[in-house]
Amino acid sequence: MDPIAKLRSHGLRIIDEPLDVNLEIPHVAYVEMKRPTPRPLLFTKPIDRSLGKEYAYPVLMNIFANKEVTVDLLGSHPDHIASRIQSLLHFTPPQGFQESLGRLKELLQLRHIFPKRLRGEGMARIELESLDELPLLKTWPMDGGKFITTGQVYTKALNGRVQNLGLYRLQKFDGKRLGMHWQIHKDGAHFFHEYKEAGVKMPVTIAIGGDPLYYWCGQAPLPPRLFELLLYGFIRQQRPRLVKSRTNEIYVPEDVDFVIEGYVDPEAMELEGPFGDHTGYYTLPEPFPVLEVTRIAAKPDGIFTATVVGKPPVEDKYMGWATERIFLPLLRTTTSDLIDYHMPENGVFHNLILAKIAVRYPAQAKQYMHAFWGVGQMSFVKHAIFVDELAPPLEDYQAIARYIADRITPERLLISEGVVDHLDHSSPRQFEGGKLGIDGTGEVVKRQVEPMEDSTLLSLFQEIDPNVLALRSYLQESANPITVIAYRKEQSVQGLFDRLAPLAGKVAILIVVNEFDDVDNPYLLVWRVANNIDAKRDIRLHPFIMVDGTDKDPELDQFPREWPPEVLCDPEVLDSLAKRGLVELDPSFLRRWGLVR
């Protein structure tokens, strides 16, 4: 596949003006993903002004820029791929000759999934001296350095029988070393511990570019110890062609643009980060393994790919959409009455899931909450909301929110605890925190409060605490109107909750956010609250439902961990880009997407 030719048909924007790999290129790509129809971008003249350096390789970003380009890059609609998976999962012995022919065709699809290992080194490449020759990006002002963000990280088990493809960020420490940010639940990390116990170095090869489907497969939530390129073969219906690395035993696709080979010493760790991550917050520095680079090679006409993560929406919105649709049949193997599910991008995927089920018995929604929290990567989901088959489409957010609000009672909320994502910052202990399940199935409940003007309700709050600065009510016609207040924290929000009993009967559901949050921006309110709450700590059910969605303060909230900064653009860089006509900005756009504060 020629990615550039494919992306040209989807409005590829080519930017020939020299732009800095430090913030400028990432900021243009980030703003582009906020447009109504985002486009792929090709930066032909990346530079580093601080080093006085021009790079030989262009930078391609926003590859999966929208649904249309995602479908084209996959080769078919994700629902079609899901239906093929569904048919294989429900394979039954054929009845008669004609059905046998049809079933044989289904099975023949599987001949494509197994990678083909080629002899020789594949396509001609130029040997590079250092990582300094690659246009690695510094995406955010507080990032700890430059990062590879679309690196296909190829590893294998100690016994050599299982290979893995993961998509992890990689921080450049110097011209020959990279930080390996593989998280505890990833196969790469599991393999690492095998090598560590054996006391031997671990081979790793990183590939960049080539068919964009390699990049997508790297983030696919396959079961453990399944090589992600099997999925590539299934989707493409052609065997992935692999060649051996020159300095280790790892095999990678022959058509990738860049190859970085090396070894990880299990005993050598180094602080990696900070990094502005897809949660919209920075992940803080932590020790991670280090790749000692033994070889770097590039196609003569290589194109360096990169992505930008931060507050949604960004490119992973569309990558996640494809993953969501394709993996629905596999999720149904453990939840057979699941009709559909959806992860809104402003819930940053692992923070919020909506699911529709065919309800056949009492408490089935709560049973499925536990099932979700026990299945693979779905176990990292913090907030799961279930509705029944009569509910509107899950992506009709206004209608589905009303449907859920009409069915909430404290008894229909399940507060539990379990494993949380490595990137979660709100839990009191890393990797372990509270979870919230909402049973939005069944009959409409009785209305909880009488209608009240926002100005009147704000006055009542301010009589209790003048630090309530703004108020907005949502879903006012539902059984449970949602009241959002912006609060200046001079004390813990829990202290505010202690004094709100007089508002029982006037407020059904209260959500408290920071004083700088815009209570009129529901998209970012969902993002903020889904990020910031730990259900066991931040939700009270009486005298009405109250939720603390504020940033936590180590002293006021007695929060035991360091709370990370929010990801924000550099205002001077944005202003410079706007003056040069590279981005279009206005105050409402900046506020809507929370680019600056």
Side-chain angles (χ1 to χ4, degrees), residues 392-459:
L394 298 179
E395 292 191 57
D396 184 347
Y397 296 141
Q398 188 66 30
I400 200 70
R402 170 67 188 268
Y403 194 88
I404 296 163
D406 277 338
R407 287 160 177 80
I408 290 179
T409 65
E411 293 72 30
R412 292 187 180 184
L413 271 57
L414 174 64
I415 296 177
S416 184
E417 62 183 336
V419 63
V420 295
D421 191 86
H422 194 128
L423 303 184
D424 181 79
H425 61 264
S426 66
S427 59
R429 294 175 301 279
Q430 192 175 37
F431 310 126
E432 182 181 357
K435 294 177 178 285
L436 170 68
I438 299 177
D439 181 356
T441 67
E443 299 297 321
V444 175
V445 300
K446 180 181 178 181
R447 184 174 172 85
Q448 304 299 301
V449 295
E450 293 302 317
M452 185 178 297
E453 293 290 333
D454 281 358
S455 57
T456 304
L457 190 54
L458 176 60
S459 296

Side-chain angles (χ1 to χ4, degrees), residues 213-520:
L213 190 55
Y214 303 141
Y215 163 44
W216 179 85
C217 286
Q219 54 81 56
L222 286 178
R225 306 183 83 84
L226 271 183
F227 190 21
E228 284 73 10
L229 288 188
L230 299 174
L231 181 60
Y232 174 95
F234 179 80
I235 293 174
R236 278 280 180 265
Q237 298 187 55
Q238 62 185 43
R239 296 177 68 183
R241 295 164 57 86
L242 309 183
V243 293
K244 181 181 167 297
S245 302
R246 184 179 294 178
T247 63
N248 65 37
E249 299 298 316
I250 302 289
Y251 279 76
V252 300
E254 67 166 345
D255 60 327
V256 296
D257 292 63
F258 301 89
V259 177
I260 303 170
E261 304 172 10
Y263 289 86
V264 170
D265 181 346
E267 300 303 321
M269 304 285 278
E270 191 163 330
L271 281 180
E272 187 267 2
F275 178 72
D277 224 310
H278 76 274
T279 60
Y281 282 82
Y282 285 88
T283 48
L284 299 173
E286 277 188 78
F288 277 92
V290 179
L291 178 72
E292 298 286 348
V293 175
T294 54
R295 180 187 180 227
I296 307 169
K299 285 183 182 178
D301 58 350
I303 295 176
F304 189 85
T305 62
T307 191
V308 59
V309 292
K311 290 178 191 167
V314 285
E315 182 184 1
D316 64 15
K317 167 182 178 176
Y318 301 102
M319 297 176 71
W321 166 73
T323 303
E324 171 189 293
R325 306 321 306 159
I326 289 171
F327 282 83
L328 176 59
L330 293 176
L331 198 54
R332 284 175 175 153
T333 61
T334 54
T335 49
S336 58
D337 289 321
L338 178 67
I339 298 170
D340 198 5
Y341 79 113
H342 173 57
M343 291 179 161
E345 79 267 9
N346 53 339
V348 293
F349 305 108
H350 61 265
N351 279 343
L352 177 63
I353 185 169
L354 308 175
K356 182 182 291 190
I357 63 174
V359 178
R360 303 186 187 278
Y361 46 84
Q364 187 173 1
K366 292 182 178 178
Q367 178 198 13
Y368 275 25
M369 292 171 199
H370 290 295
F372 271 39
W373 290 331
V375 176
Q377 291 194 33
M378 199 64 70
S379 62
F380 298 102
V381 170
K382 288 175 64 176
H383 311 114
I385 304 176
F386 285 79
V387 295
D388 53 39
E389 58 267 48
L390 299 178
L394 298 179
E395 292 191 57
D396 184 347
Y397 296 141
Q398 188 66 30
I400 200 70
R402 170 67 188 268
Y403 194 88
I404 296 163
D406 277 338
R407 287 160 177 80
I408 290 179
T409 65
E411 293 72 30
R412 292 187 180 184
L413 271 57
L414 174 64
I415 296 177
S416 184
E417 62 183 336
V419 63
V420 295
D421 191 86
H422 194 128
L423 303 184
D424 181 79
H425 61 264
S426 66
S427 59
R429 294 175 301 279
Q430 192 175 37
F431 310 126
E432 182 181 357
K435 294 177 178 285
L436 170 68
I438 299 177
D439 181 356
T441 67
E443 299 297 321
V444 175
V445 300
K446 180 181 178 181
R447 184 174 172 85
Q448 304 299 301
V449 295
E450 293 302 317
M452 185 178 297
E453 293 290 333
D454 281 358
S455 57
T456 304
L457 190 54
L458 176 60
S459 296
L460 293 177
F461 269 98
Q462 290 177 333
E463 288 176 8
I464 296 171
D465 192 329
N467 289 312
V468 176
L469 305 179
L471 180 148
R472 169 73 186 271
S473 296
Y474 291 91
L475 303 170
Q476 290 175 297
E477 302 304 316
S478 73
N480 288 280
I482 298 174
T483 302
V484 180
I485 62 171
Y487 186 59
R488 181 172 54 228
K489 283 177 69 169
E490 295 181 351
Q491 64 166 338
S492 167
V493 171
Q494 298 295 330
L496 172 66
F497 288 168
D498 290 339
R499 294 180 286 123
L500 294 183
L503 296 182
K506 299 178 176 64
V507 177
I509 299 174
L510 172 67
I511 297 176
V512 184
V513 294
N514 302 299
E515 63 179 292
F516 49 80
D517 285 318
D518 182 358
V519 297
D520 295 319

